[in-house]
Amino acid sequence: MALNQYLKRVFPGTAEEYAKRAEQAMLSGERLFIVTANPEILMHAQRDPAVERLLLDPRTEIVPDGISVVKAMKMLSLPVKERVTGVDLAERLLNAAGRQGKTVYLLGAKEEVVSALAKKLKLQYPAITVRCRNGYSKDKDADFQEIKALAPDLTLVALGVPAQDLLIHRHLDEFPKGVFMGVGGSFDVLSGSKKRAPALFVKTNTEWLYRIAKEPQRLGRFWNNNVKFLREVKKAAQQKK
Ligand code: UDP
């Protein structure tokens, strides 16, 4: 499927608009599955029909997390305002859940990371209910049974792309309500275990550069996904002309 098919489903408004929409969904008991799109998941969709299905599912809402996704949409003349970053959206939803005394499930990351985040939230928001489980158990579908029993208002899954999104999508039908989002490495940042890129990198949309400098093993993944992605988008844009 052409990248265009996924990109035209991506939210075109501002990060603030989307955060309000997601908060509202959580507070009103709507069911919402958010995919924070970067080139990696869009490239996966081209090789894995299950990823393609989840991106094209009308129940899925996609936001442009990576700057390359925003660039690609502009190149294809699709409406888009700015990045809607997963880590900021996750933080915003956690804070709203905390203030409103909602129920949150955190699945993924290392045990010390996810339990530190759960503890931090509980300290900050005594009225919140938080359950968590690390992302290294063998049977993550079984973990979802625990989530189902809790029926949380917000479920964040930090297992990396696309495992986290596939897992949520497989179980979405079992939930009448709740906001679900795959958040990649966000627990590492929100728990304070890993530093987010300094503000200058965030402002100039070069967080990816900071992450590669800190963790050079990311370079291969970056090349495979981002560079190939932009090459394909360029091709598609030329064909459109
Ligand atoms: N992770 C996990 N279980 C696994 C593999 C990864 O819980 O089997 C976690 C890992 O600890 C990290 C997150 O998934 O917190 C993925 O982070 P990464 O930085 O790779 O994701 P990105 O933000 O680049 O999508």
Side-chain angles (χ1 to χ4, degrees):
M1 173 95 44
L3 287 170
N4 194 30
Q5 297 305 308
Y6 318 124
L7 289 170
K8 69 183 189 198
R9 301 202 65 236
V10 176
F11 179 73
T14 65
E16 179 58 29
E17 281 161 4
Y18 196 79
K20 283 207 176 114
R21 138 110 199 97
E23 259 181 48
Q24 189 49 38
M26 181 177 70
L27 300 181
S28 64
E30 212 181 296
R31 181 180 62 191
L32 175 62
F33 171 30
I34 308 167
V35 170
T36 63
N38 54 17
E40 201 172 346
I41 194 159
L42 300 178
M43 294 305 280
H44 267 289
Q46 301 213 305
R47 351 181 242 271
D48 181 347
V51 177
E52 167 161 283
R53 270 197 301 279
L54 81 83
L55 288 178
L56 297 178
D57 188 331
R59 297 172 303 176
T60 308
E61 292 191 3
I62 312 175
V63 296
D65 188 346
I67 188 63
S68 302
V69 175
V70 172
K71 260 196 203 149
M73 291 170 76
K74 287 188 176 156
M75 281 161 75
L76 295 167
S77 312
L78 293 166
V80 63
K81 285 251 166 54
E82 59 183 359
R83 294 175 70 198
V84 179
T85 55
V87 62
D88 291 319
L89 189 55
E91 190 171 30
R92 182 85 183 243
L93 287 169
L94 287 171
N95 290 338
R99 280 194 305 271
Q100 305 285 332
K102 295 284 179 191
T103 302
V104 172
Y105 198 103
L106 308 173
L107 174 65
K110 293 191 185 121
E111 180 56 36
E112 63 270 25
V113 169
V114 72
S115 50
L117 178 57
K119 209 162 143 196
K120 190 172 155 190
L121 288 167
K122 194 70 201 151
L123 263 177
Q124 202 175 352
Y125 301 107
I128 200 172
T129 302
V130 194
R131 295 281 176 280
C132 67
R133 185 176 278 278
N134 70 57
Y136 293 88
S137 72
K138 286 234 159 54
D139 187 355
K140 303 204 173 63
D141 290 287
D143 296 342
F144 244 82
Q145 295 317 303
E146 188 175 295
I147 305 181
K148 194 174 154 187
L150 187 69
D153 302 293
L154 175 65
T155 302
L156 301 180
V157 183
L159 299 171
V161 168
Q164 57 192 24
D165 310 280
L166 286 167
L167 182 66
I168 297 172
H169 195 232
R170 273 202 299 281
H171 293 276
L172 200 57
D173 273 341
E174 300 159 27
F175 293 86
K177 65 150 201 182
V179 173
F180 297 82
M181 178 162 84
V183 295
S186 299
F187 292 174
D188 300 279
V189 173
L190 296 176
S191 65
S193 319
K194 246 191 214 175
K195 265 216 199 101
R196 191 172 178 185
L200 180 68
F201 287 88
V202 177
K203 226 168 98 189
T204 54
N205 290 317
T206 49
E207 265 179 289
W208 55 273
L209 189 62
Y210 177 84
R211 293 183 87 185
I212 292 175
K214 281 267 174 193
E215 298 168 64
Q217 71 276 15
R218 286 184 179 275
L219 186 60
R221 235 172 89 184
F222 176 80
W223 180 266
N224 266 330
N225 293 300
N226 289 259
V227 176
K228 281 188 192 162
F229 171 73
L230 284 174
R231 211 185 279 154
E232 280 214 26
V233 173
K234 244 183 225 155
K235 236 194 285 165
Q238 271 158 7
Q239 275 164 8
K240 257 185 105 182
K241 272 186 200 156

